[in-house]
Amino acid sequence: MAKLRYLIVGSGWRSLFYLRVAQALPERFEVCAMLCRTPEKAEKMHREYGAPVSTSVEECIAMKPDFVVVAVNKASIADVSRQWLERGFAVLSETPAALEEDTLRQLWQLHQQGAKLQVAEQYWLYPTLAGRLAAAGSGALGPVHFARLSVAHGYHGASLARRFLGAGQQPVKITGRRWTDRVVETDSRWGVVKNGSVVEKDLQQHTLEFAGGATAFLDFCGVQYHSFLRSTHTSVQGERGELYDDTLRCLDKAGEPVCRQLAPVQEPLVLEAQKAGLNEDETAIACYLDRMQDYLAGGAEVYPLAEALQDAYLSLLMEQALQQPGRAVESAPQPWNS
């Protein structure tokens, strides 16, 4: 299989994930360049991270990447993605696809007109979460009706809730509340924190009631992404059993209760990524990038755009629900709903 060559538009924290994946797995991936806004930022990215860099759109176009990764700030993702789509490139945008409903609908229209756009929703590809999703979808739990997830915020949480429950794009009713959590900061995007400072973080809880009868309880505080004091959890319940993190309790074919421990998904690329020192998030991104090969050749979408747009839409509704605690916000039909 040919090496995938991609351009990274952006030079922030998230863009570095795509650079590290290529540097760790050079036989699979190659970064043509990181397109930076200023010469100063380009020089910094090259000096500190060894990235090939450019400040020229024309120069990057001439490199003829297989696709373009758009990893700019959230407010600009949709506009920048659209610019590269209009130049004729396939685009893999960071999450969320857009921050407004109208823009989500515009992106769907572009997709319907043939634009090749994917959104890098990667949580379903985490090796640990992929194993749990497989178990929940195997039938071992029977019909799944409840999921309690404390794993990720907003669109990521919505994505996992819909996948664990098999809810697809069903209409949903959302309620939400927020609190302030106080915790000693121990970790961050940039490394371990040891000054003992107490920080205040936004704790959000949402209930998603799907039209098919399943319910998701989402509970997340941003500090959980980087903390030695706050962990993440999944609990999924069906008629025949429960999945709590990596413990599966269910009835066997004879109706006898069994309990077993799940293992993370260990497909060859996962093992290769782990051997190269990539963490779980980077490993998930590598798995997503690898699947782009087939998509670019005319195969199935990696993560259907309709799903990514629904995640972003539900995230907007979740924000609305926080503004009116206890009152339900209901989804409306969207053009990407099947």
Side-chain angles (χ1 to χ4, degrees), residues 70-83 94-100 103 107 155:
V70 173
V72 296
N73 66 79
K74 287 180 173 59
S76 302
I77 284 176
D79 284 342
V80 175
S81 295
R82 191 157 36 202
Q83 291 167 14
E94 257 297 312
T95 53
L99 297 176
E100 300 85 22
T103 310
L107 291 174
Y155 33 86

Side-chain angles (χ1 to χ4, degrees), residues 143-200:
V144 175
H145 50 263
F146 283 114
R148 295 174 175 84
L149 306 178
S150 184
V151 180
H153 78 288
Y155 33 86
H156 296 312
S159 170
L160 289 172
R162 294 191 304 109
R163 293 180 81 89
F164 270 116
L165 295 173
Q169 299 197 8
Q170 296 173 9
V172 61
K173 183 169 60 177
I174 301 174
T175 54
R177 292 192 64 185
R178 65 173 10 124
W179 292 264
T180 298
D181 186 22
R182 297 175 184 83
V183 61
V184 175
E185 189 173 30
T186 57
D187 200 7
S188 71
R189 285 181 172 183
W190 309 109
V192 175
V193 178
K194 295 184 177 181
N195 60 15
S197 61
V198 176
V199 294
E200 293 187 347

Side-chain angles (χ1 to χ4, degrees), residues 78-259:
D79 284 342
V80 175
S81 295
R82 191 157 36 202
Q83 291 167 14
W84 284 94
L85 289 170
E86 290 171 350
R87 292 179 180 122
F89 288 90
V91 168
L92 174 60
S93 91
E94 257 297 312
T95 53
L99 297 176
E100 300 85 22
E101 289 183 33
D102 284 346
T103 310
L104 292 173
R105 287 188 278 269
Q106 291 165 12
L107 291 174
W108 180 248
Q109 186 175 16
L110 283 174
H111 175 73
Q112 293 295 88
Q113 294 168 354
K116 293 187 78 68
L117 172 63
Q118 295 283 268
V119 178
E121 175 54 57
Q122 81 278 21
Y123 274 77
W124 62 286
L125 289 170
Y126 272 45
T128 52
L129 291 173
R132 296 172 193 177
L133 284 164
S138 70
L141 302 179
V144 175
H145 50 263
F146 283 114
R148 295 174 175 84
L149 306 178
S150 184
V151 180
H153 78 288
Y155 33 86
H156 296 312
S159 170
L160 289 172
R162 294 191 304 109
R163 293 180 81 89
F164 270 116
L165 295 173
Q169 299 197 8
Q170 296 173 9
V172 61
K173 183 169 60 177
I174 301 174
T175 54
R177 292 192 64 185
R178 65 173 10 124
W179 292 264
T180 298
D181 186 22
R182 297 175 184 83
V183 61
V184 175
E185 189 173 30
T186 57
D187 200 7
S188 71
R189 285 181 172 183
W190 309 109
V192 175
V193 178
K194 295 184 177 181
N195 60 15
S197 61
V198 176
V199 294
E200 293 187 347
K201 297 290 184 178
D202 193 36
L203 171 63
Q204 300 182 4
Q205 293 184 342
H206 290 89
T207 301
L208 279 63
E209 299 176 74
F210 292 95
T215 301
F217 303 106
L218 305 184
D219 177 351
F220 194 72
C221 182
V223 74
Q224 288 173 258
Y225 283 129
H226 303 282
S227 178
F228 298 110
L229 305 180
R230 294 289 188 269
S231 57
T232 60
H233 296 285
T234 59
S235 175
V236 184
Q237 297 175 334
E239 294 176 1
R240 296 180 61 83
E242 176 188 62
L243 173 65
Y244 186 83
D245 291 342
D246 293 321
T247 301
L248 175 64
R249 294 178 173 85
C250 62
L251 299 174
D252 64 17
K253 292 181 180 180
E256 294 295 323
V258 296
C259 179

